[in-house]
Amino acid sequence: MRVVTAMRVVAPVVGMAVIWILLWGNLSVANALSGLAVGLLVAALSRLPHVGAGARIRIGGCLRLLGWFALDMARSGTRVAWQALRPGPPPVNAVIAVALRTHSDLTMVFTALALSALPGSLVVEVRRSRQTLYVHVLGVDEQGGLDKARQDALDLEKRVIRAIGTADDRREVL
């Protein structure tokens, strides 16, 4: 029991230290120690919520998610570049509601972040009570564009669940 409690304190501090090192751009003893100090200070001064209850990192799922994300980043970037450079009227935009199937805050946050990182889509609102993301999408003028954008977001949610989802989410969604 003490090991689990210790991990709930240590993991966020180490995570913040890693982010600190990445922000500084080089790995050094000074950056690592200052990152740990900042992580400890943030953990001591704030009440960090425990959002990963039941979540489990699956390496295979994470690798598939990263591979898909890299491919979709290239596809989306190319599509947005074409829409910006092509002659004719500007692309049609829309805000769509995507009702997620997850009940996990962690999965919802990862899905929203990944959607917002892709060119041509941006999460503009999150309704936690309804597990709904409101996503602004670019270029939905072709037939079925809205349904395709919504299905793409749900497919992303499924990939996130395969990578870091809780057992409940895996049972309900996969």
Side-chain angles (χ1 to χ4, degrees):
M1 188 66 156
R2 289 184 185 190
V3 172
V4 172
T5 304
M7 285 305 294
R8 287 185 181 168
V9 174
V10 172
V13 170
V14 170
M16 286 185 270
V18 168
I19 291 171
W20 181 266
I21 292 166
L22 292 172
L23 287 172
W24 279 100
N26 87 21
L27 176 62
S28 68
V29 174
N31 278 344
L33 291 177
S34 62
L36 286 173
V38 168
L40 286 170
L41 184 67
V42 168
L45 296 177
S46 65
R47 294 180 149 218
L48 297 175
H50 182 64
V51 295
R56 185 171 156 227
I57 296 175
R58 293 167 188 83
I59 300 300
C62 288
L63 291 174
R64 282 190 294 276
L65 176 64
L66 288 173
W68 170 87
F69 187 76
L71 284 173
D72 204 42
M73 183 75 76
R75 277 190 297 231
S76 298
T78 303
R79 186 172 52 246
V80 169
W82 171 248
Q83 290 171 350
L85 297 175
R86 73 178 175 165
V92 176
N93 305 313
V95 175
I96 60 171
V98 180
L100 299 178
R101 298 156 296 193
T102 184
H103 298 287
S104 164
D105 290 344
L106 183 66
T107 302
M108 190 180 299
V109 166
F110 268 84
T111 303
L113 288 172
L115 275 172
S116 291
L118 292 171
S121 66
L122 178 69
V123 175
V124 294
E125 186 176 346
V126 176
R127 292 267 172 97
R128 183 177 176 219
S129 60
R130 295 181 180 170
Q131 293 99 17
T132 302
L133 302 178
Y134 292 89
V135 184
H136 179 272
V137 290
L138 178 67
V140 292
D141 49 353
E142 68 266 0
Q143 187 72 0
L146 293 175
D147 291 333
K148 182 180 180 331
R150 190 173 287 110
Q151 188 58 49
D152 288 347
L154 292 173
D155 290 345
L156 173 61
E157 176 198 26
K158 191 181 292 187
R159 288 183 189 95
V160 169
I161 289 171
R162 284 187 178 128
I164 60 157
T166 64
D168 289 341
D169 283 342
R170 288 180 64 83
R171 273 192 301 275
E172 290 180 29
V173 176
L174 300 181

